[in-house]
């Protein structure tokens, strides 16, 4: 390594080009997105940080006015053929575009440290004013501390590459009119922000005149560097120690006998406040102190500014070499993540046109999923993972369940076969698939429309006894027949369960559709604020359309039950003739015999006559009422179930022009008034802020990749 005087130390340095690229990355604020190799000087305000920095860098910081303690300062040494010192401002990560342009435009150059010593105080006054720091000389400033960074780059033919970053000193007591408790927390957070990064070497400045074990900065370093692998302790002010015991404590720290750090401790002596920083003789005298007891017993590579500077150059090279191959990969991954996050935010939504484009895209995604759900196209990942997206499948299964339940339970009394038996009920094959997740409590907005808990009255037996009682209570002057009003009354009584069964069925359908709509909206719109606004704007219309579907179903119930029984369906005659035939054939089958011992059965004509003629007029009337009612009921029941699905479910709720599934469309978006459109799709402050942050981060990372090529 080349020392400060230009001598070769024999240790290898990393490429200066690499170190220069790290500084360029830092200027691009890349360090706020991923950890960069860096040396950061931290300590209390009274720890001797400024004097140490001056000794390390040769930059003559002015005394007594606190001009350079309100922001981080990056001091860079770079070998160049021309001697020059350039002072610039690196805008902080939260700076506006206007601030970036203004602060980046600040630059001041001087030839050497002698010229800087003369001008530095006035330069810092300008810098404080540019950053908006409030001081006695700039009372109009609004900030006590700033995230902007002061960069001092010192170039020359004898300079070796070294960059150190000084952060404001931690303070415990506030000064009235100057600092506040908030400032104290702000500085502490700023220090934490630097030292928590995994590629930061922490230079913990510790005055020898205080109890090291109580130093907050060392405790803070241990919190973020638990193993002590990144912390180097720098013990200042050893010349102020008078007691041998306190000197012994410092020597024990350097020798690793107390509170050891992997990078160890160094002891340095800086110039006093009244000493001339350019006096070479005084500098030599300060270094000569380490030739005295007990300091002379310490390893020479652990004492003095020259040894510390050499070690820092070595450490900076090491962490840069370790990190450099990974930086491009990390920057690429961060850039990909940022682009993905920005894409997830969708279009920028500042203008009416942008808001329409954004909502139209959301509506298009919604309608694509609706079409897939209605066509049973479940090839998408979302449909594979979410059963509630299988819309038509769930609806058909619920409809099959409804059909089975309607067949089993829609009649008030069970019809009898000719032999007196009752038909076996149908089973519910799809209930486990159709009724899952039907929890109406999740959607209280549907309370006034649906009721999934309606239960029909169980069908009773002995229908002929009921028919006899009904007939006897309503017969007129007829010759063995019955009046036209009897069948209407009987059918209305037999179909009492139609209304509750139908309402429960429509309730399940509406619940499934509403659940589907809410789920698809959430999948189609990533912005939760927009999602809630869409729901708010369409819910009222959705409820109206659900209500229309329910009313259509109830209208069909009324048409079947309140109108006179009538049908043109030939199945009615077929069914009725079949029933009447069976009333004759079934008794004869029981009387048939095989007198000739062959497979042919014969019935005596007298038996036929007896079966046909031995019933009274009342019995014939009762049986005829039963058979007509049963035949018509079967036809009406099948017609009704079909109509409820076709008209109330399919037309009103699924595919018709007023289907709730077709409410949120691109056409609906284009018809929204400008004020409502802005209310729904306008970006919130948080989203706008996040978008700008992502754009800035993407810009920084793209610049980083160019530097790292």
């Amino acid at each position: 390594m080349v020392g400060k005087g230009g001598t070769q130390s024999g240790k290898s340095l990393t490429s200066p080009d690499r170190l220069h690229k790290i500084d360029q990355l830092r200027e691009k604020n890349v360090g706020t997105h991923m950890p960069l190799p860096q040396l950061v000087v931290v300590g209390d305000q009274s720890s001797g940080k400024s004097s140490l920095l001056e000794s390390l860098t040769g930059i003559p910081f002015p005394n007594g006015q606190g001009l350079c303690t309100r922001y981080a300062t990056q001091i860079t040494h770079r070998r160049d053929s021309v001697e020059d010192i350039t002072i610039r401002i690196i805008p902080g990560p939260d700076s506006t575009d206007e601030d970036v342009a203004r602060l980046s435009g600040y630059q001041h150059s001087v030839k050497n440290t002698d010229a800087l010593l003369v001008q530095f105080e006035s330069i810092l006054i300008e810098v404080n004013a540019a950053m908006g720091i409030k001081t006695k000389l700039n009372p109009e400033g609004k900030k006590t501390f700033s995230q902007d960074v002061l960069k001092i780059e010192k170039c020359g033919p004898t300079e070796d590459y070294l960059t150190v970053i000084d952060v404001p000193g931690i303070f415990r007591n506030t000064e009235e009119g100057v600092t506040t408790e908030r400032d104290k927390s702000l500085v502490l957070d700023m220090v934490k922000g630097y030292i928590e990064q995994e590629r930061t070497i922490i230079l913990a400045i510790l005055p020898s005149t205080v109890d090291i074990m109580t130093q907050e900065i060392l405790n803070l370093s241990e919190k973020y560097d638990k193993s002590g692998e990144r912390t180097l302790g720098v013990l200042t002010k050893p010349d102020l120690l008078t007691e041998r015991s306190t000197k012994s404590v410092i020597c024990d720290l350097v020798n690793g006998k107390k509170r050891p750090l992997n990078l160890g401790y160094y002891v340095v002596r800086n110039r006093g406040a009244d000493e001339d920083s350019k006096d070479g003789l005084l500098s030599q005298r300060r270094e000569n102190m380490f030739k005295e007891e007990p300091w002379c017993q310490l390893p020479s590579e652990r004492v003095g500014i020259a040894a510390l500077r050499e070690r820092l150059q070595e450490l900076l090279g090491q962490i840069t070499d370790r990190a450099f191959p990974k930086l491009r990969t990390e920057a690429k991954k961060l850039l990909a993540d940022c682009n993905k996050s920005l894409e997830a935010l969708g279009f920028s939504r500042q203008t009416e046109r942008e808001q329409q484009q954004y909502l139209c895209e959301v509506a298009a995604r919604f309608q694509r999923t609706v079409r897939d759900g209605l066509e049973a196209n479940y090839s998408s990942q979302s449909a594979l993972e979410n059963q509630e997206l299988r819309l038509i499948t769930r609806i058909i299964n619920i409809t099959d369940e409804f059909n089975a339940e309607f067949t089993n339970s829609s009649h008030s009394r069970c019809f009898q076969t000719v032999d007196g038996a009752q038909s076996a009920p149908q089973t519910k094959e799809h209930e486990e698939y159709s009724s899952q997740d039907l929890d109406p409590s999740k959607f209280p907005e549907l309370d006034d429309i649906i009721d999934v808990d309606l239960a029909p009255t169980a069908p009773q037996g002995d229908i002929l006894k009921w028919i006899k009682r009904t007939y006897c209570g309503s017969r007129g002057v007829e010759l063995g027949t019955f009046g036209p009003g009897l069948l209407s009354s009987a059918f209305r009584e037999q179909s009492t369960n139609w209304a509750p069964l139908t309402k429960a069925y429509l309730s399940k359908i509406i619940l499934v559709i509403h659940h589907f709509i809410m789920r698809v909206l959430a999948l189609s719109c990533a912005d939760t604020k927009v999602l809630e606004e869409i729901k708010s704007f369409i819910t009222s219309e959705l409820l109206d359309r659900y209500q229309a579907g329910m009313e259509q179903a109830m209208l069909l119930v009324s048409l079947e039950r309140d109108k006179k029984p009538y049908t043109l369906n030939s199945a009615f005659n077929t069914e009725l003739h079949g029933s009447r035939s069976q009333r004759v054939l079934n008794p004869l089958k029981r009387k048939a015999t095989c007198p000739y011992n062959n497979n042919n059965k014969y019935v005596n004509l007298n038996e036929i006559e007896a079966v046909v003629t031995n019933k009274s007029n009342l019995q014939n009337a009762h049986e005829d009422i039963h058979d007509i009612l049963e035949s018509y009921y079967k036809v009406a029941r099948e017609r009704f179930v079909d109509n409820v699905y076709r008209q109330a479910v399919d037309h009103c709720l699924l595919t018709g022009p007023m289907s709730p599934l077709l409410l949120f469309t691109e056409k609906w978006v284009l018809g929204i008034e400008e004020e409502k459109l802005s209310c729904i799709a306008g970006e919130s402050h948080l989203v706008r802020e996040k978008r700008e942050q992502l754009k800035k981060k993407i810009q920084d990372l793209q610049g980083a990749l160019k530097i790292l090529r």
Side-chain angles (χ1 to χ4, degrees), residues 236-279:
T236 61
K237 306 180 182 180
D239 51 309
L240 300 182
L241 299 179
T242 56
E243 297 181 4
R244 184 173 183 84
S245 60
T246 53
K247 293 180 181 180
S248 178
V249 169
I250 299 302
C251 290
D252 286 345
L253 284 169
V254 176
N255 288 320
K257 295 180 180 180
K258 286 189 176 182
R259 202 162 187 169
L261 298 172
N262 282 5
L263 297 182
Y265 294 86
Y266 284 72
V267 185
V268 297
R269 180 183 176 185
N270 303 315
R271 73 174 177 87
D274 56 350
E275 293 179 351
D276 185 354
S277 62
K278 302 302 290 181
D279 191 331

Side-chain angles (χ1 to χ4, degrees), residues 8 11 95 131 148 171 187 230 261 267 277 294 322 342 359 424 428 433 512 527 536 588 601 654 694 696 699:
Q8 184 73 22
K11 296 180 180 178
S95 299
M131 292 185 184
D148 303 325
F171 59 93
V187 169
R230 298 189 291 109
L261 298 172
V267 185
S277 62
R322 284 198 302 267
L342 187 60
L359 268 190
K428 301 177 182 180
Y433 302 104
V512 166
D527 190 314
S536 176
L588 293 177
K601 292 185 177 183
L654 295 180
L694 285 170
K696 177 66 169 60
Q699 184 180 354

Side-chain angles (χ1 to χ4, degrees), residues 535-583:
K535 289 180 182 179
S536 176
F537 270 85
I538 70 172
T539 294
S540 178
E541 179 67 19
L542 280 178
L543 297 181
D544 288 344
R545 295 189 180 196
Y546 296 148
Q547 184 66 47
M550 181 66 78
E551 289 174 355
Q552 178 64 28
M554 293 299 101
L555 173 63
L556 292 173
V557 173
S558 177
L559 289 175
E560 292 289 352
R561 299 188 67 229
D562 297 340
K563 300 295 182 179
K564 291 181 179 180
Y566 183 73
T567 182
L568 296 175
N569 192 333
S570 61
F572 169 72
N573 288 325
T574 302
E575 185 74 28
L576 181 58
H577 291 159
S579 296
R580 287 172 172 172
S581 298
Q582 289 301 315
R583 290 196 178 278

